[in-house]
Amino acid sequence: MKRVVAIGIPVLLLGGLVTWRIIGKKSQDASLQQGQQSRQRSAPSVDLGSAGPKLIEETLDTVGSVEAPFNVKIASQVAGRIDLLQVREGDPVTIGQVLVRIDPSEVEGQVLQQQAAVAEAQSRLAQAQLTQGSTNVGISSQIRQQQAAVSSARADLNQVSQNYSAQIATAQSAVTDAEARVAAARAAVDRASAGVASAKAKEANAQTKFDRTNSLYKQGFVAAQDVDDAKTTLQVQQSAVQVAIKQQSSAESALHSAQAVQKSAEQQVSIAKRKGRSDIADAQAKVKQAQANLDVAVANQSQGPAYQANLAALQSSVSAAVAQLRQAEARRAYTVIKSPIEGTVTSRQMDPGANATPGAEILTVQYLKWVYVTTTVPVDQSGAVRQGMLVAISFDSLDGKKVNGSVTEINKSADPQNRQFTVRIRLDNPGTQLRPGMFAHITFTVSSVKAAVAIPREAVQQKPDGAHVFTVDSESVAHDTTVVLGASDAKSYEVKSGLKPGDKVVVLSYTPVKDGQKVRDAASEKKSGAPGGSGKGQGRRGATP
C-alpha cells in the first residue's frame, strides 16, 4: 500500500504541472493573437515622400589615376662618372636647364684623337695635289714591246695548234693500222680453229676405219697389211690434229700481240691529245699574259684620271675623318644633360660620383601644369562616353575634393586583355595639387532629364502588370496607384503618368500597407512625440497590399 502511495503522488504532481503549463500556453497565445489583431486594426506608420520636379541624371562611375602628359626619363648617352647632379625630387626645372654633367675626360681624348686624324688626312691630300703631273716617259716603247710580245704569243699558239692536229692524225693512223692487224689476226685464229676442227674430224674418221679394219682382221676377213695401213693413217691424222692446234695457238698469240699494239696506239692518241691540249692552253695563257701587259702599258697612257681618282679617295678620307670628329664632339656634348621640358623632378636614381651607363635612368621629369586623369570604360558602355562629355572627378587624397572636366581623349582600340577602352580627361593643375599616381573617382553624366514629376526609387513596387505606388490623400488614406515610369538615376524615377506634383507617396512602411487603409505619418509623430510603429529596424520599402 505504501508503495502504491509513493508512486501515485509524483504521478499526480507531474500531471498537474503539465495541465498548468497547457493552460498558461493557451492564455499566452490568446493574448498574443489579441495584440496582433489590435495592431492589424491600427493604422500603420509610414515614411512619406512628395512627388515633384527634379533633374534626373544617368551616370557612369569609374575609377582612375592622375598621369603627367609628359614623363621624361633622363638618361646618359655616354658612359662616365657623374660630376654634377644637384636637383632632387620635387625640384622644378625649366627647358634647357643643366641637370647632370658627366666627366668629359675620356670623350675629350677622343675629340683630340679625331682632330689629329683630320689633320693627317688633310696632309696626305695636300701632298698628293703637289705631286700630281704627267709621267708618260717610256710608255710608248712599252706599248710597242708588249704588242710584239702579243704577236709572238699568238704565232706560238697557231704553231702549237697545227702541231696538235698533225700529232693526233699520226697517232690515229697508227690506231687504224693496229685495228687492221687485229682483224687479220682474228681471221687467222678463225682459220686455225677451222683447221683444228677439220683435223679432229679426219682423226675421228681414221680411228673409226682402224677400229673396223682391226675387227675384220680378227675375224680373218682382211690381211694384216690392211690393219697396219689403217693404223698408219690414224697416226698421221693424230699428228695433223696436233699441228692444227699449234697453228691455232700461234694465231691466238698473234691476235693478242695485235691487240696490245692497238691498245698502245690508242694510249698514244690519248697522250697526244692531253699534251697537245696542255701546249695549246699554255700558249693561250701566254697570249693572255702578253695582252694583259699590253693593256697595262696602254693604261699608263692616261694616268691623269687615276690621279684624280686618288685625289677623290684622299678627299673622302678627309671627309670621313671630319665626320668622326663631329661624332666625338657630339659625344662630348652628351656629357652635359639638359632638361627637354619644363616640369618637376619626380624621381632620382643616381647620385654624384656614380657611374652612368648609356640608357640607365638618372632622373625623371614630369610636366605638372596640367595633368590627365586616365580611366577605363567597359566595351559595353563605351558608346555612352563621347569626346567633350562633362565629368565630375573627386580625389580621396585631397579630402574628396571635386573638380569638373571634360573627356579629352578616347582610345579607339580596346585592350584585348580586359576589353576596356582608355579615356583621358585633361585638368588644369594650378599649385600642382594633382600629382601623378593619385587615385580618382570619375562620374560621367550619360544623360540628363528635367522631370516634371519624380519620386524616390524606394516608393516604387514592380508588379506583373507594371509599376505601382501607394499615394496618401488628405485623409491619410493609402491608395494603390499604377504609374508609368521614365528616366531614372540612383535615387529617383521620373513619373510620366499616374501622379501630379505635390502628391504624397509611401516610401517606407513599418507594417504592410493595404489599398484603402489609413496610415500614420512617422515624421509627424516624431515631431509631435506621439507613439509610432515598431521602429525603423523593421521598416519595409514601399508597401504590400
Side-chain angles (χ1 to χ4, degrees), residues 405-474:
S406 61
V407 175
T408 307
E409 298 178 8
I410 301 176
N411 193 340
K412 302 300 182 183
S413 176
D415 188 331
Q417 300 297 326
N418 55 23
R419 305 299 178 187
Q420 302 269 335
F421 284 90
T422 300
V423 178
R424 288 190 173 92
I425 301 100
R426 173 173 170 168
L427 296 177
D428 291 332
N429 191 23
T432 64
Q433 285 186 329
L434 303 179
R435 299 177 183 179
M438 280 187 173
F439 186 78
H441 298 275
I442 302 100
T443 301
F444 297 88
T445 301
V446 177
S447 63
S448 179
V449 176
K450 292 183 178 180
V453 179
I455 58 175
R457 294 181 69 95
E458 294 83 0
V460 177
Q461 299 180 31
Q462 296 292 347
K463 296 182 179 180
D465 60 341
H468 289 250
V469 297
F470 274 100
T471 59
V472 178
D473 59 17
S474 59

Side-chain angles (χ1 to χ4, degrees), residues 114 117-126 128-129 307-326:
Q114 293 305 322
V118 170
E120 182 181 358
Q122 290 174 340
S123 175
R124 289 197 301 269
L125 175 61
Q129 290 172 340
Y307 273 109
Q308 292 298 327
N310 184 46
L311 291 177
L314 292 174
Q315 183 62 54
S316 298
S317 298
V318 172
S319 300
V322 171
Q324 291 178 351
L325 173 60
R326 290 175 180 172

